[in-house]
Amino acid sequence: MNNSMQQLEKRQPITRILAATIKTGIIKSNLFPMFAGLTLALYTYDYSILDKIPAILFALFGSIFIIGSAGAFNNIYDRDIDSIMERTKTRPTVTGDITTKSVLILATVMGLVGIILLSLATPLAGLLGFLGWFFYVVPYTMWTKRRTIYNTEVGSISGAMPPLIGWAAIHPDILHPAILGLFVIQVIWQMPHFYAIAIRKHDDYKAANVPMLPVVKGIRRTYLQTNVYLVLLILTSFLFWPLSPGLTLVSLLLGIGWLILSIYGYKKMDPKKWANTLFAYSLIHMTVLFSTVIIYSLVGIIFNLK
């Protein structure tokens, strides 16, 4: 009787279990670039926010469901290596707080609902939502994550889908240089961001035999590859030029700042401190850039500045 009571006391609240299973932190961080793409499309094509409220809501809830589904499938597949790593060994799929069958049902239902909701915005948004889900679950989680140092590059395709989804939910044309800029920036941004995480959690990834770049090739190779991507990130800023020299300048300065910090930090800091600094800056970079895009777009819409 006492053992049963202790087990009940150790069990987490169902809301916390579900939040950890569908990775609500990842959902929140992906909604930010989704809204950047969405508001940028509203501004670019002179749409009224009021006229597009249904599409905005479909994009919001569709994105929440499809991202949550991908996270839940990832938790199921990775529960063996999650049980080894310190940062993931308390996930409900590892501790048994939720059954595999329950997660499969939850992930499947969320995925289907997410695709339907996004498709109600536009069919292209639904297709992009499915592709984002597919790339995260199959090529990344099931194929490359445990096999190659280029798993981050493969996973970045999925991670860069939110701005495309947001744009496509408003206007079904994703060939405009501005949204291509957001997409490419989001792809490239993920490499130095996740390289920094891989250095910070080096021992975890090594113990779980996950071939992250710093684990397999070392810090020096990671530093050089980080700088290559940061140079590409800087060059990508010019994709904003047809829409706004101001956005171009913000993106350019953020990228240059990141590259300077990488070079200076590598020379002056130990690897862990360097990685922590780059990780913190990557969050600042994303927050400032996408906030600027959202504010720029909303101000342009409200005051009809085009």
Side-chain angles (χ1 to χ4, degrees):
M1 181 71 175
N2 288 336
N3 287 337
S4 298
M5 289 297 293
Q6 289 174 355
Q7 289 176 355
L8 286 172
E9 289 174 357
K10 289 179 180 178
R11 287 184 64 84
Q12 300 181 48
I14 187 63
T15 52
R16 189 173 298 175
I17 292 171
L18 291 175
T21 300
I22 65 174
K23 301 185 179 182
T24 52
I26 291 179
I27 292 174
K28 293 174 184 176
S29 64
N30 277 279
L31 289 179
F32 199 40
M34 189 280 289
F35 272 112
L38 187 150
T39 54
L40 192 58
L42 288 172
Y43 170 71
T44 302
Y45 296 105
D46 292 319
Y47 288 123
S48 164
I49 294 176
L50 293 178
D51 290 341
K52 288 293 183 178
I53 284 178
I56 293 170
L57 293 176
F58 287 139
L60 169 62
F61 290 104
S63 296
I64 289 172
F65 276 90
I66 200 73
I67 297 167
S69 170
F73 272 116
N74 175 267
N75 272 343
I76 295 172
Y77 193 83
D78 280 350
R79 61 190 185 280
D80 58 332
I81 59 175
D82 283 347
S83 66
I84 298 171
M85 297 190 288
E86 284 295 321
R87 71 184 184 90
T88 57
K89 67 181 183 180
T90 58
R91 285 178 175 170
T93 43
V94 175
T95 61
D97 284 334
I98 189 169
T99 66
T100 300
K101 181 180 179 181
S102 297
V103 181
L104 279 171
I105 294 171
L106 176 67
T108 301
V109 171
M110 288 188 70
L112 291 173
V113 172
I115 292 171
I116 291 170
L117 289 174
L118 289 174
S119 298
L120 289 173
T122 66
L124 180 58
L127 175 61
L128 292 171
F130 169 75
L131 290 176
W133 177 93
F134 176 80
F135 269 97
Y136 187 76
V137 173
V138 181
Y140 171 66
T141 299
M142 295 183 177
W143 180 32
T144 59
K145 183 175 181 179
R146 308 184 191 208
R147 290 179 173 83
T148 172
I149 59 172
Y150 298 106
N151 52 23
T152 305
E153 280 79 354
V154 173
S156 70
I157 302 300
S158 174
M161 284 295 178
L164 287 183
I165 292 171
W167 179 286
I170 299 302
H171 190 85
D173 176 10
I174 53 173
L175 298 180
H176 193 287
I179 190 56
L180 290 178
L182 278 183
F183 174 74
V184 175
I185 284 173
Q186 187 75 351
V187 168
I188 297 172
W189 173 88
Q190 291 174 85
M191 259 62 81
H193 172 75
F194 285 111
Y195 290 162
I197 293 176
I199 295 172
R200 296 170 74 221
K201 303 298 179 182
H202 179 280
D203 295 341
D204 268 1
Y205 287 116
K206 186 176 181 180
N209 200 29
V210 177
M212 299 301 287
L213 182 65
V215 175
V216 177
K217 297 295 184 179
I219 303 299
R220 174 69 179 175
R221 166 68 179 274
T222 305
Y223 164 71
L224 294 174
Q225 204 154 308
T226 292
N227 289 348
V228 169
Y229 280 120
L230 290 178
V231 170
L232 292 175
L233 189 68
I234 291 168
L235 295 176
T236 303
S237 301
F238 292 101
L239 287 172
F240 285 124
W241 188 264
L243 181 68
S244 167
L247 287 180
T248 304
L249 181 62
V250 170
S251 181
L252 197 62
L253 291 176
L254 286 169
I256 292 172
W258 200 349
L259 180 61
I260 292 172
L261 184 64
S262 175
I263 296 171
Y264 174 83
Y266 181 78
K267 294 178 179 179
K268 300 293 183 179
M269 305 173 187
D270 63 74
K272 285 287 177 71
K273 186 175 181 181
W274 174 67
N276 286 334
T277 303
L278 289 192
F279 174 75
Y281 189 91
S282 71
L283 299 180
I284 293 171
H285 180 283
M286 183 180 72
T287 302
V288 173
L289 179 61
F290 285 118
S291 294
T292 302
V293 170
I294 292 171
I295 293 170
Y296 170 86
S297 301
L298 290 178
V299 168
I301 294 166
I302 294 170
F303 294 101
N304 195 23
L305 297 180
K306 283 197 74 176

